Amino acid sequence: MTAGPEISATVGIIAGGGVLPFSVAEALRARGIAPFIFAVRGFCDPVRVTQFPHHWVALGQVGRLTRLIRSEGCRDIVFLGGMVRPALSDIRLDWGTVRAIPSIAAALRGGDDHLLTGISRIFERHGFRVVGIQDVAPELLMPEGSITRRTPDAEAIADIAKGRELMHAISPFDVGQGVVVIDGHVVCVEDIEGTDGLLARVARLRADKRIRAKPGRGVLVKMPKVQQDLRFDLPTLGPKTIDGIVAAGLAGIGIVAGRTLVAEADVMTAKADQAGVFVTGLPL
């Protein structure tokens, strides 16, 4: 992996939901870099954010956000955490947002990768540098090989290969980053529900006896889209993903090494080992 850019002394984290913003903030602190969280109301965890210096911002307050980022001395910023795609009517307008409306509207007229890349250009025009996880916390990226005691068997390896082939084929449509394959059959493809919704759907199909394979077979395959901007929306795993895998009755997870984030890796691995499922990093 090539060396990333030299990171500034304080990194701004524009934080949505989930544990990832805090995992990255802790990783930055461990490297002697100061994190400053700009917490998006309605998404960022109001309890965990108190562990870090932070400001609250409403969704769409571009002017306020850029002023706050500049006041805290953040040259580099990173977008982390989940957020539901907003409608224009949900965006709280300030003057900075009003000026950016043409860019925001254009960004909303596409898939998630198009949206995030479009939003990043707004901040870059204000003089900030938008960086990715690989630049600020590369230790959170999935390594190659299995990180669990269980490893994929021949059937799981074949399911992983089919899942990768399918994800590569649908990548240009900017649909999702995951697929479930069981015994060579494509069962579900990730959509707007995300990975948790995908796994819940598989669990419902099992409960309805639409899936005949015994529990403990089949895989979740996750990978970024072809030509995806790797600063944004990398596939992410965490302890909650393992809960979904177990409920769905799958054997494990295959994810692309160096292109997938692992939040709370120790907790996730321990939970996977306890459940007897595998998590394996795939070569590029």
Side-chain angles (χ1 to χ4, degrees):
M1 184 179 296
T2 58
E6 183 178 348
I7 298 301
S8 53
T10 303
V11 172
I13 298 174
I14 301 174
V19 301
L20 187 58
F22 310 112
S23 295
V24 171
E26 289 164 359
L28 285 169
R29 276 182 171 174
R31 293 173 60 194
I33 299 171
F36 200 102
I37 294 181
F38 301 91
V40 181
R41 292 190 186 278
F43 296 98
C44 187
D45 187 326
V47 176
R48 293 197 65 174
V49 76
T50 60
Q51 302 171 22
F52 303 94
H54 65 278
H55 291 301
W56 284 98
V57 294
L59 190 65
Q61 287 185 321
V62 175
R64 170 176 161 78
L65 179 55
T66 54
R67 289 193 300 272
L68 289 173
I69 295 172
R70 190 168 287 112
S71 72
E72 298 299 340
C74 303
R75 176 192 64 179
D76 295 328
I77 58 174
V78 59
F79 291 83
L80 297 168
M83 283 189 284
V84 177
R85 170 186 286 257
L88 279 176
S89 59
D90 296 330
I91 296 175
R92 186 170 169 181
L93 300 180
D94 64 11
W95 178 240
T97 311
V98 170
R99 292 195 299 176
I101 278 179
S103 297
I104 293 171
L108 286 168
R109 290 195 297 269
D112 289 342
D113 196 46
H114 180 269
L115 170 63
L116 290 165
T117 300
I119 296 298
S120 75
R121 293 196 185 104
I122 296 172
F123 288 90
E124 288 169 343
R125 286 199 293 270
H126 284 274
F128 304 111
R129 183 172 62 172
V130 180
V131 295
I133 290 285
Q134 64 274 21
D135 302 314
V136 298
E139 61 271 32
L140 298 183
L141 294 173
M142 180 70 186
E144 189 170 332
S146 294
I147 60 173
T148 49
R149 288 195 294 266
R150 183 177 177 183
T151 58
D153 59 16
E155 289 79 9
I157 290 171
D159 283 345
I160 288 170
K162 185 158 191 175
R164 292 192 73 170
E165 183 179 358
L166 176 97
M167 293 306 300
H168 190 274
I170 67 173
S171 182
F173 298 98
D174 199 3
V175 176
Q177 298 175 316
V179 61
V180 169
V181 182
I182 302 177
D183 292 341
H185 299 288
V186 175
V187 175
C188 290
V189 176
E190 183 180 308
D191 58 15
I192 197 169
E193 294 178 303
T195 301
D196 293 340
L198 169 68
L199 294 173
R201 206 176 344 143
V202 176
R204 289 194 300 271
L205 289 171
R206 280 198 185 277
D208 293 340
K209 303 192 182 305
R210 298 290 301 275
I211 296 175
R212 298 294 184 180
K214 294 180 180 179
R217 300 182 67 82
V219 298
L220 166 68
V221 179
K222 284 184 70 70
M223 57 185 291
K225 301 153 195 166
V226 176
Q227 297 182 339
Q228 177 173 325
D229 189 332
L230 296 178
R231 296 175 299 172
F232 308 112
D233 197 29
L234 288 183
T236 302
L237 303 179
K240 189 176 180 181
T241 315
I242 302 302
D243 294 336
I245 289 290
V246 173
L250 300 177
I253 309 168
I255 49 182
V256 177
R259 296 290 185 270
T260 307
L261 302 171
V262 181
E264 299 181 312
D266 292 344
V267 176
M268 186 195 76
T269 302
K271 184 173 282 193
D273 284 338
Q274 183 178 14
V277 301
F278 67 80
V279 180
T280 193
L282 310 172
L284 288 175

